[in-house]
Amino acid sequence: MFMNPTDLAHLDGQICTCRLCPLSLERKLAVPGCGPAPAEIMLVGEAPGREEDLTGKPFVGRAGRLLDAALEQAGLERSDVFITSVIKCRPPQNRKPKKNEIDQCRHYLLSQIEILHPNIICLMGNTATQAVLGIEGIAKLRGRVLQGRYLITFHPAAVLRNRNLMNDFVSDLKMLNARSHPLV
Ligand code: URA
C-alpha cells in the first residue's frame, strides 16, 4: 500500500521537537521509534527508559535485550518490526506515564499507525492496551487478538521481572509472524 516516507520523517521531526507536556523539559532525546516503513508488524511498549533517552532508540536497555531474544525465539528479527512506545519521552525515574502525558502523546502513536498501516499491532502491557483500546487486564487479555488487528501481550519489563512469563511471551510473538500478512 502507498506510504509517503516524508510523512513519517515529518512526524519524527514533530515528536523530536515536541513541547506538549512537561516530560519534554527533562528528556535528553525523544524516542519516536524505528523499523521498516511501511511496517507489517508494529510493537508498542510503554515509555522510553534511561538508555532510550540517551540514544533516541527504542528498547535498547535490558528490556530491549530480552525483547530481541524473545523475537529471535519467535522466528523474527528486530529489523522485521517497527518498535515504538505509547509516550515518546522518558518519565523521571522510569515512573509510569501519567494520564495527561498519555493524552498529550497518543496522537503521535495513532499517526504512526495511520502512516505505517501495519497488519498487526502488538500492544505490550497494560499501558499500551489501555492507551489504544481503552481496556486493561493483561492477565486475561494476553494472547488474544482483538478487532482482528491488535495482539495483546506482556511488556518485556514484566517478563524480566518474572521469567516464568517468557514462554507465553514467545508464543504470543509467534502469532505475529502468522498474522503479518493481510488475510486474502
Ligand atoms: N520500555 C518501553 O516501553 N519502551 C522503550 O523504548 C524502552 C523500554
Side-chain angles (χ1 to χ4, degrees):
M1 205 188 284
F2 177 75
M3 185 213 117
N4 185 349
T6 328
D7 291 345
L8 191 66
H10 180 71
L11 184 61
D12 278 6
Q14 286 184 329
I15 293 170
C16 291
T17 53
C18 178
R19 295 281 172 213
L20 287 176
C21 89
L23 294 181
S24 62
L25 302 173
E26 296 193 38
R27 69 166 181 242
K28 301 265 186 310
L29 292 170
V31 186
C34 63
E40 289 178 349
I41 303 172
M42 178 185 266
L43 302 185
V44 184
E46 179 175 287
R50 196 178 73 90
E51 289 179 59
E52 290 79 20
D53 178 65
L54 292 173
T55 58
K57 301 270 180 265
F59 282 99
V60 288
R62 283 182 69 219
R65 288 190 285 281
L66 181 133
L67 177 61
D68 286 340
L71 284 171
E72 195 186 328
Q73 287 183 44
L76 287 162
E77 290 181 23
R78 183 178 270 244
S79 57
D80 296 328
V81 297
F82 190 95
I83 308 184
T84 189
S85 295
V86 172
I87 67 165
K88 313 302 190 193
C89 295
R90 182 192 184 199
Q93 280 82 48
N94 297 348
R95 65 156 168 73
K96 287 237 167 243
K98 295 180 180 168
K99 183 177 179 310
N100 70 307
E101 293 160 355
I102 294 172
D103 288 345
Q104 297 283 358
C105 209
R106 186 191 283 104
H107 68 103
Y108 291 128
L109 174 62
L110 300 182
S111 297
Q112 288 174 317
I113 293 173
E114 203 174 302
I115 292 169
L116 295 163
H117 39 76
N119 299 320
I120 181 90
I121 300 165
C122 182
L123 303 173
M124 302 189 295
N126 270 323
T127 300
T129 308
Q130 171 67 44
V132 176
L133 298 178
I135 50 172
E136 266 189 33
I138 207 72
K140 281 207 181 128
L141 293 171
R142 77 135 278 271
R144 287 177 57 186
V145 177
L146 301 183
Q147 298 176 20
R149 196 186 190 196
Y150 299 98
L151 170 68
I152 321 282
T153 192
F154 303 114
H155 191 282
V159 186
L160 261 186
R161 289 192 296 272
N162 179 1
R163 294 295 181 134
N164 294 329
L165 302 179
M166 185 67 170
N167 284 347
D168 284 345
F169 186 48
V170 170
S171 78
D172 292 348
L173 295 181
K174 280 184 182 162
M175 293 169 67
L176 291 175
N177 238 336
R179 299 218 174 218
S180 62
H181 301 291
L183 299 175
V184 281

